Structure formats: C-alpha cells, structure tokens
Amino acid sequence: MITIPYVTALTTYFSYGLLLVFGQIRDLFRKIIDCFSSNNLQGYVPICLAHEDFYQRRLYQRIRDCFERPIVSAPDASFDVVERYSNDNNKTLKPTTRIRRCLNLGSYSYLGFAAPDEYCTPRVVDSLNKYSPSTCSSRVDGGTTVLHKELEKHVANFLGKQDAIVFGMGYVTNSAIIPVLIGKGGLIISDSLNHCSIVNGARGSGATIRVFQHNTPSHLEEVLREQISEGQPRTHRPWKKIIVLVEGIYSMDGDFCKLPEIVAICKKYKAYIYLDEAHSIGAIGKTGRGVCELLGVDPADVDIMMGTFTKSFGSCGGYIAGSKELIQYLKYTCPAHLYATSMSPPAAEQIISAIKVILGEDGTSRGAQKLARVRENSNFFRSELQKMGFEVIGDNDSPVMPIMLYNPAKIPAFSRECLKQNVAVVVVSFPATPLLLARARICLSASHTKEELLKALEVGDLLGIKYFGAEPKKHQQEEKMMKLE
C-alpha cells in the first residue's frame, strides 16, 4: 500500500478543500442568477441534481483539456495529437488544424501490435475483404466464423487450458461473466483494487461481496476463515460457492498479484480463483503467457482465466479460458455470448496473427525480441525515474509505471507541460483512484527505443513533481571522491 508523507497529505487535503469551497460559492451565485431566469422545465425533476454533478462541473471541468485528446494516427511509439482550444473555460473543446507529434507513453500497446505490422496487417486486411468489418449478428445466430473458432482454439492452447470463449469487449467479459458464474447464496471475495468491470460484475451477481486488503494473502485467509465459519447472512447456511477475484497486473498500481500464495490459500479452503489478466497476458513471462508463467503457477490451479486483447495483442475484446464444462456452460448462459454482436472478424485475425508472432510461428524470433524489449524498457525506465527522485510504484518487469502526483494542481501541470514537450501521458485521479492518490500512469512498449526513453526522462526534469532526492550522477560522485581523497 502507498504511504503518503504527512505534509503531502495535508497540502493535498487543503487544495481539494479550497476547490470545494470555491465551487460551492460559484454554485450559490448560479442559484441566485437562476432565480431570475425563466425555467422551461416546470414540474420536472432535474436529471442531474447539483450535488450529483458537482465534481464534474467544478473540478473535472477545470482540467478537462488533459483528457480525451484526439489522435490522428496509429498508437505506435509516437503518434499525432490534435491541439484544441476553448473559449468557455473548458465547457467545450474545439479542435484546431495543428497536429503535434508526441512520444506515446499512455497506450496499452505493450508489444507494439497496435501499429502496422509486417505479419499481422496483411492478414487483417485480407480478412476484412473476406468477412467484412462486422458479422452483424450474435455468436449463436449468424455471428460465428471460422476465425472465431480458430481464435478460441489458439487462446486455449496459449494459456494451457482445455477450452476458451471470446467476446467483443473486454469490459463486458468481466461484467457479464461474473453474474453467470455466481449468484444469490454465493460469496465473492475481491481484491480492494480490482478493476471497475470486476466490481460491477460482482455487484450485478447478487452474491455476497467481501473485500480483502490489496494483494495481502494473510488478510484473504482471514476473510475466508471468518466467512466460512459464519456462513450466509441470517440463515448461516454454508455458502453455495466461493470465488476469489484477483488481477494479474493491477492497472492503476503496476504490481503483480501474489498468485502462488493466493492459490495455496484457495486450495486450502476449497475456493475458486478468477484471474483477470487484462494487462499481464502477452506482456510478461518468458513466452508472454502472463503471471502464471512469470510466477511459476500451474494454469490448472487457476479455475477461471480472464483476459483482454486490447493491450498486448493490439485488437479488441476479451476471453474466458477454463475447463470444457465451464466454457460449454457459459456458451448457453452468458448474455454477452447469446445477445451481443460477435467480435469483428478482422479483430479476431489480428489476435491470431499476434499470438503466432509471439510464439514464433511466423518463422521469426520477433515475438521473443518484443517480449525481451518491453521488459528491458520497463526496468530501465523505472530505474531511471527512481534515480531522478520520482515516486514510482509497482514491480519490476511490469510495463505499467504509476508516478505519484498527489496534489490536484500537479495533475494538469504535469499533463500540459508534457504535451508542450511533445510527450503524451495519461493522468489519473478521483474517482478512478482514491482522492489523495492522483498519479500519471506510464505504459511502455516494445516499440520504444532507448533514445526516446532518454528524451522522456529529460522532460521529467522540467516538471517539479519529485518527492525524493535524486541520486548524484556518476561524474558528480567521482568529483566528490576526488575531493575527499
């Protein structure tokens, strides 16, 4: 867990308090002005009450230009960002004709497959000509092509599971699958920092939900023991089913799940494990097979393996992999399979081609080189940022690197200054993170060169968000040693 320095927490609270006070004063004057204006919706309850959209109007709108920046190129190591302007304090943002070429430190294209690829792109274009961009149907009607069947076979083999099922959207994979797996009378135990899609899926299931401290196996065991001994609320009957929900890489913190310990605990208490590998599959492990491969966990010990194709594979959609019985059950019961339009065939071909490159089935070693390069880039960049005095959280080998900002004023300052220096970054704050833990989330790719990363580090010296003292450079250390001698 992140420990916030006392002074930093105090100044951050003060900054938010100041923003809230000024926001309330502005709302008061707005109410006074509205009293003298005509209302064309007499008798209607306002769709958005003042307190419900206060954060959006009085805080988010001030820095809205830092988000949703339109791009006009593929999300490669660098991309083209359209500059915008506003004449009404960010209520509306209008694009200009100016294009800024920026170093891309925000996309999830960990292996660089989101850009044109010598192996994948020609095959995707061929599939577009053969199958069209959409099946215009759900999987159970006319939406299953040979590409979907082939993709599911490749995913199952890649993960070492018996079977797999794919969906057209990664978010829906969690939010639609979890309610099918468990319902009333069941118990979900979820990591406190799980993704919103997992949270919404758990809430929609009707099962009882308990939360354990982020990545703390000892607390998970404590929660399991307590809940098993107490049983269901009111009746105290045994739970029908218990599922533990965790992620491979936590997308806002960049740390790996402590999977071996969690697997051991779940085996001990006969609980199922649901592993979300959205950010880890394809990006880590010797052959890109995710946290199971990296941490030495047998895939057979993970009951339900979930992941998305929107990161390392440069496509869209998600998957569930498990036993044949599980996948067959999902095909008959999951609404995302029965009613939603199936994955676009060119998107399926992109994933199949990317998996072949990763495994070397394209006849080259490009896949292994990409995996090695993203690991080297991540460890180099993380190490250099820490040496410079930035507070970087997460684990080595993880391509997700959050840089802590804390103070709300530093959120737009960091984003805008980076854009001026032609570096595109993603800043994240409440409600995506706790109020005090605003951050910039750096995502590195195998496409980045060392020269590009060094350029980004030079920009870091201009931003003034360092919370630790920088390590002295080599020549400074040498001079100091000579003086001492």
Side-chain angles (χ1 to χ4, degrees), residues 56-296:
Q56 187 272 333
R57 290 183 294 104
R58 300 306 183 198
L59 282 82
Y60 170 76
Q61 187 173 295
R62 289 171 175 262
I63 60 173
R64 190 178 165 209
D65 60 296
C66 298
F67 303 93
E68 300 176 5
R69 289 172 177 152
I71 65 172
V72 287
S73 68
D76 203 352
S78 295
F79 56 18
D80 296 327
V81 180
V82 178
E83 293 188 14
R84 298 176 293 174
Y85 72 95
S86 176
N87 294 326
D88 53 7
N89 298 317
N90 281 348
K91 286 184 180 178
T92 58
L93 292 166
K94 299 178 181 179
T96 68
T97 57
R98 296 189 300 275
I99 305 296
R100 190 182 287 271
R101 187 70 177 174
C102 295
L103 178 64
N104 179 12
L105 295 182
S107 294
Y108 298 141
S109 181
Y110 299 134
L111 299 184
F113 283 119
D117 182 82
E118 61 189 70
Y119 183 83
C120 300
T121 306
R123 286 162 175 76
V124 171
V125 173
D126 289 343
S127 69
L128 177 63
N129 294 329
K130 183 176 181 179
Y131 295 99
S132 87
S134 174
T135 63
C136 299
S137 183
S138 66
R139 285 289 303 273
V140 295
D141 295 326
T144 297
T145 68
V146 293
L147 288 177
H148 294 91
K149 290 291 186 181
E150 183 182 354
L151 174 58
E152 289 172 343
K153 181 180 178 182
H154 276 286
V155 170
N157 291 337
F158 185 66
L159 296 171
K161 304 298 283 186
Q162 292 180 356
D163 204 354
I165 182 173
V166 297
F167 303 92
M169 184 180 178
Y171 183 96
V172 168
T173 305
N174 275 330
S175 59
I177 285 291
I178 295 173
V180 177
L181 293 174
I182 192 169
K184 189 175 180 181
L187 173 66
I188 290 174
I189 304 181
S190 179
D191 189 286
S192 61
L193 294 186
N194 274 339
H195 190 263
C196 179
S197 60
I198 295 178
V199 173
N200 288 344
R203 288 174 177 171
S205 69
T208 301
I209 303 171
R210 294 292 180 265
V211 176
F212 69 95
Q213 293 172 8
H214 171 57
N215 228 2
T216 309
S218 60
H219 189 240
L220 168 63
E221 183 171 15
E222 183 182 324
V223 173
L224 269 169
R225 290 175 62 183
E226 180 183 348
Q227 293 302 314
I228 290 172
S229 63
E230 291 182 359
Q232 296 183 39
R234 294 190 299 275
T235 64
H236 300 292
R237 293 175 180 173
W239 297 103
K240 294 180 179 178
K241 194 184 302 181
I242 301 175
I243 299 181
V244 176
L245 308 179
V246 293
E247 294 187 39
I249 293 179
Y250 290 89
S251 58
M252 285 298 171
D253 291 73
D255 54 342
F256 299 128
C257 168
K258 294 181 179 178
L259 194 59
E261 296 93 328
I262 290 173
V263 165
I265 291 169
C266 289
K267 280 185 175 181
K268 180 179 179 181
Y269 294 95
K270 304 297 186 290
Y272 293 107
I273 301 177
Y274 183 104
L275 174 64
D276 178 341
E277 287 210 88
H279 288 265
S280 54
I281 193 64
I284 60 173
K286 186 177 180 180
T287 60
R289 287 179 167 87
V291 289
C292 287
E293 181 177 52
L294 181 73
L295 302 178

Side-chain angles (χ1 to χ4, degrees), residues 42 49 51 91 108 133-134 189 191 217 223 263 318 333 405 416 452 458 485:
Q42 292 182 1
L49 301 178
H51 65 276
K91 286 184 180 178
Y108 298 141
S134 174
I189 304 181
D191 189 286
V223 173
V263 165
T333 56
L405 301 177
R416 290 165 184 163
E452 289 172 330
E458 290 175 7
E485 289 173 359

Side-chain angles (χ1 to χ4, degrees), residues 168-440:
M169 184 180 178
Y171 183 96
V172 168
T173 305
N174 275 330
S175 59
I177 285 291
I178 295 173
V180 177
L181 293 174
I182 192 169
K184 189 175 180 181
L187 173 66
I188 290 174
I189 304 181
S190 179
D191 189 286
S192 61
L193 294 186
N194 274 339
H195 190 263
C196 179
S197 60
I198 295 178
V199 173
N200 288 344
R203 288 174 177 171
S205 69
T208 301
I209 303 171
R210 294 292 180 265
V211 176
F212 69 95
Q213 293 172 8
H214 171 57
N215 228 2
T216 309
S218 60
H219 189 240
L220 168 63
E221 183 171 15
E222 183 182 324
V223 173
L224 269 169
R225 290 175 62 183
E226 180 183 348
Q227 293 302 314
I228 290 172
S229 63
E230 291 182 359
Q232 296 183 39
R234 294 190 299 275
T235 64
H236 300 292
R237 293 175 180 173
W239 297 103
K240 294 180 179 178
K241 194 184 302 181
I242 301 175
I243 299 181
V244 176
L245 308 179
V246 293
E247 294 187 39
I249 293 179
Y250 290 89
S251 58
M252 285 298 171
D253 291 73
D255 54 342
F256 299 128
C257 168
K258 294 181 179 178
L259 194 59
E261 296 93 328
I262 290 173
V263 165
I265 291 169
C266 289
K267 280 185 175 181
K268 180 179 179 181
Y269 294 95
K270 304 297 186 290
Y272 293 107
I273 301 177
Y274 183 104
L275 174 64
D276 178 341
E277 287 210 88
H279 288 265
S280 54
I281 193 64
I284 60 173
K286 186 177 180 180
T287 60
R289 287 179 167 87
V291 289
C292 287
E293 181 177 52
L294 181 73
L295 302 178
V297 174
D298 187 347
D301 291 333
V302 180
D303 304 287
I304 305 113
M305 299 183 77
M306 176 270 172
T308 64
F309 304 118
T310 54
K311 283 79 177 176
S312 298
F313 303 98
S315 187
C316 63
Y319 67 81
I320 294 288
S323 65
K324 285 188 176 295
E325 293 79 11
L326 170 68
I327 302 305
Q328 191 70 10
Y329 171 73
L330 294 178
K331 287 180 177 179
Y332 288 122
T333 56
C334 179
H337 182 80
L338 297 171
Y339 305 114
T341 303
S342 65
M343 180 187 292
S344 169
E349 179 58 50
Q350 166 67 28
I351 304 159
I352 294 169
S353 301
I355 291 175
K356 288 181 178 179
V357 173
I358 292 170
L359 296 178
E361 294 177 7
D362 63 332
T364 71
S365 60
R366 288 196 307 124
Q369 291 170 7
K370 284 176 177 288
L371 287 164
R373 197 176 305 123
V374 70
R375 182 170 60 251
E376 291 166 6
N377 285 349
S378 301
N379 292 338
F380 168 75
F381 202 69
R382 182 186 300 277
S383 174
E384 292 301 311
L385 285 172
Q386 290 171 338
K387 288 177 184 177
M388 292 170 66
F390 292 98
E391 184 173 358
V392 185
I393 60 175
D395 293 329
N396 286 334
D397 290 351
S398 170
V400 181
M401 267 164 283
I403 301 174
M404 300 310 298
L405 301 177
Y406 298 122
N407 197 287
K410 293 185 178 183
I411 301 169
F414 182 89
S415 179
R416 290 165 184 163
E417 185 60 35
C418 281
L419 187 63
K420 286 180 185 177
Q421 302 297 328
N422 296 327
V423 176
V425 297
V426 172
V427 288
V428 190
S429 62
F430 180 85
T433 66
L435 190 68
L436 295 183
L437 302 182
R439 64 198 69 182

